[in-house]
Every structure is written in structure tokens, then in C-alpha cells.
Amino acid sequence: MTFDEFIKQFLTEEQCRDYLYRLRFPEGFVCPKCGNTKTWPVGEVLFECSQCGRQTSVISGIIFQDTRKPLRTWFVAIWWIATQKNGASAKGLQQVLGLDCYETAWTWLHKIRRAMVFPNRSKLSGVVEVDETYVGGEENDGKRGRGTENKILVVVAVELDANKKTGRVRMSVIPNASKDSLKAFVENNIKKGTTIVTDGWASYSFLTPDGYSHTVVSKKHTDSEDKMLPHVHTIISLLKRWLSGTHQGAVSEKHMQAYLDEYVFRFNRRKFAERGLLFHRLLECAMKVSPVTYDDLVE
Ligand SMILES: [Zn+2]
């Protein structure tokens, strides 16, 4: 689907509302008050039970709640954000939507980013490389380590596919490189029984007793750090380039996880050509994300 085809499908508020309605009630609407299944639309986001008159909003409790902008503008925003190969900036979104206010574009982008982690996604498996890195703060590339101040610690996992090429990735901000922090990330993102490849950092010693097969690569066998865990280190450099390029490196600790989520969303779908389906999936997730305000985000 091209942008033109997309636009033609959502020319009116009614078309957008009907689409949300079907996403929200895939098995058909049942009135919570009287059990009736017939409704008619009232205004742009409401519909009314034909029997008892109870009104329900198609956007209550989801990210579009309290919006003063047309649904159609939101749809275009989600389409545009879903289909940017190299990441979406607030400035770019502001231009595409013709918004007067930069803060609005910035808030929308953050809201939509929160929909980028799809629920029930399957865990990484097979062979997975894991390592930590520091991002943000001043540029001093090549300084990996576990004691650097003023930087945000991120743990990265990279799945290898059958051809030993990079498959899916996962990333998370962690408070420190302790066993507890790493264990929580591994258990949330990697299936038990997976072969996990790490360096010799002692905190990873939980892996074998925890049901994983642990391979430790030590520096003796190879000449450089990057050769030890080549796939995860490639992803780490791509992430750093993306943060300093698309986002000028200006990412605070509070928002870092959202940026990582966006990166992972795009990376894991880099070969995904069905843009219409990507829009549909992102909108579907947006329906499950609770509303958040500009104040919540900057607080
Ligand atoms: Zn009713």
C-alpha cells in the first residue's frame, strides 16, 4: 500500500471511526448496560446503543483520548511513524501533519512510541549474543566498561538466525550490570534452553542454573572485543549511530527506553514490506496503550 492508497482509504472521520470501531470490537459490539448489539454513530467518536441510549466513545481509555485533532490526523501520524525506515523525528512529524506546535508533534511521537512494543511477542531463541553498553552523555566511543559515570546502561540481545546472520534484537535500560538486572532482562526476552553467548562478566553466572546453555567467549581466543561478540557489537554501533544521527544524541534517561523500543520496532521489521499491515498492527497496539499527557511525559 502506498501513501496515496492509504489516504484514499481514510478520507473522512467516519472511515477512521469505523476502522477503530472494528479494531476495538472485533467480535461485534455488545452494550455493557443492556446487552444490545445495535448502535448508531453520534458525532465523530461516539456511538449510541439503539436500545438503552448508552453512549460509548471509540477512543476512551486509549492514546487518542482527549484529542482535539481529527482522528484522520492521528491515522496519518501513525502511518508516517510506522513507515519511516530510519526513525521518526518530532520535527519531521510536525511538518508532515502541518502542526503549528512542536510540542504537540513531540507528544504524539512519544505516545505512539509507547505502542511499539507489541504484547505477546515471542521470546528470542536458538543462539543469542548478549552484552551491555553505555549510551548517551558525552561522546567517547570505544569506552566500554562497567563503571562509566553519567551514561545510561543498556543491555542488548541479538538472535542469530539459521545462517548465523543477525535475526531479531531486544534492548533494555538497566540500572546496573548486576546479576538481578541482567537476569530480569534475560528472562523477559529470551526463551529457556537458548544458547546465550556472553563475555566473562561474572554476573552472567546465573545463566546455567537458570536453564540456559551458556557459552563464554574470553579474550584470549581472539584479538579484539568486537570479534568476540560480533553480532551484538554491530547492533550496538548501529544503535549509537542512530541515537547520534536521528536524535542528535539528546536522549535523556527518562525517555531512553522509548527510543530503544522504537529502534527495536524498526530493526525487527527491516525486511517487512507490507506497510499497510504495519500501520494496522501499530494502530492495534495504540488501542491498548493507556493515555498519557504532555505533562506526564516531561514531568
Ligand atoms: Zn444498551
Side-chain angles (χ1 to χ4, degrees):
M1 194 194 263
T2 65
F3 186 63
D4 276 355
E5 287 164 343
F6 169 78
I7 287 294
K8 277 180 197 145
Q9 210 186 319
F10 298 108
L11 284 174
T12 65
E13 285 299 282
E14 196 188 344
Q15 287 170 317
C16 297
R17 186 197 51 224
D18 290 350
Y19 195 79
L20 283 183
Y21 185 99
R22 288 198 303 274
L23 267 181
R24 194 136 198 203
F25 308 107
E27 268 116 66
F29 177 78
V30 178
C31 174
K33 199 173 163 194
C34 74
N36 180 33
T37 54
K38 261 196 185 149
T39 60
W40 44 64
V42 178
E44 278 168 359
V45 296
L46 287 173
F47 50 92
E48 190 177 289
C49 172
S50 66
Q51 191 166 280
C52 73
R54 186 195 157 109
Q55 292 191 338
T56 308
S57 161
V58 78
I59 59 168
S60 67
I62 62 170
I63 61 168
F64 314 130
Q65 184 179 292
D66 304 325
T67 186
R68 284 182 297 264
K69 300 281 185 208
L71 287 176
R72 191 165 181 272
T73 312
W74 279 99
F75 275 41
V76 173
I78 292 176
W79 168 275
W80 186 79
I81 290 168
T83 54
Q84 294 308 296
K85 277 238 151 40
N86 298 314
S89 70
K91 216 170 193 164
L93 184 63
Q94 187 188 2
Q95 274 175 4
V96 167
L97 301 181
L99 297 170
D100 296 330
C101 177
Y102 173 83
E103 280 71 26
T104 306
W106 184 89
T107 308
W108 283 32
L109 190 51
H110 266 288
K111 286 184 174 199
I112 294 166
R113 260 191 206 113
R114 295 172 75 241
M116 287 183 158
V117 179
F118 292 174
N120 311 321
R121 58 185 187 176
S122 63
K123 293 182 178 182
L124 306 185
S125 60
V127 177
V128 176
E129 290 180 6
V130 176
D131 202 5
E132 322 94 69
T133 187
Y134 282 93
V135 294
E138 295 105 290
E139 283 290 289
N140 53 5
D141 271 333
K143 269 216 166 171
R144 254 171 28 88
R146 274 135 178 147
T148 318
E149 298 294 323
N150 297 327
K151 287 224 163 199
I152 305 162
L153 187 60
V154 169
V155 57
V156 179
V158 176
E159 184 180 58
L160 306 193
D161 67 18
N163 304 315
K164 298 261 179 251
K165 293 251 163 57
T166 300
R168 296 175 298 161
V169 305
R170 293 288 161 80
M171 298 175 179
S172 183
V173 172
I174 47 173
N176 51 53
S178 69
K179 180 188 139 192
D180 287 348
S181 302
L182 294 168
K183 191 175 178 201
F185 170 78
V186 166
E187 290 183 346
N188 283 330
N189 291 286
I190 307 174
K191 214 169 135 185
K192 295 268 162 116
T194 297
T195 298
I196 299 183
V197 188
T198 70
D199 62 17
W201 179 241
S203 292
Y204 287 112
S205 60
F206 73 89
L207 285 170
T208 306
D210 205 27
Y212 296 95
S213 160
H214 188 197
T215 303
V216 178
V217 286
S218 66
K219 209 165 183 174
K220 289 181 270 185
H221 303 301
T222 48
D223 40 10
S224 86
E225 257 188 346
D226 285 353
K227 280 191 187 158
M228 286 164 57
L229 297 161
H231 301 87
V232 76
H233 285 163
T234 301
I235 296 304
I236 286 171
S237 8
L238 288 172
L239 170 71
K240 287 182 174 175
R241 209 177 305 160
W242 181 75
L243 286 171
S244 60
T246 308
H247 302 294
Q248 278 85 50
V251 177
S252 66
E253 182 151 17
K254 180 177 163 65
H255 295 302
M256 182 57 81
Q257 188 61 51
Y259 285 88
L260 298 180
D261 292 343
E262 181 188 350
Y263 187 84
V264 168
F265 174 86
R266 293 191 198 290
F267 188 86
N268 288 348
R269 289 164 188 81
R270 64 198 181 280
K271 292 169 190 157
F272 197 77
E274 301 253 7
R275 297 198 294 167
L277 192 59
L278 204 53
F279 163 79
H280 178 85
R281 292 284 285 136
L282 191 54
L283 182 60
E284 202 172 44
C285 283
M287 311 272 305
K288 293 176 183 125
V289 172
S290 59
V292 57
T293 63
Y294 177 73
D295 290 342
D296 295 334
L297 289 166
V298 296
E299 191 175 61

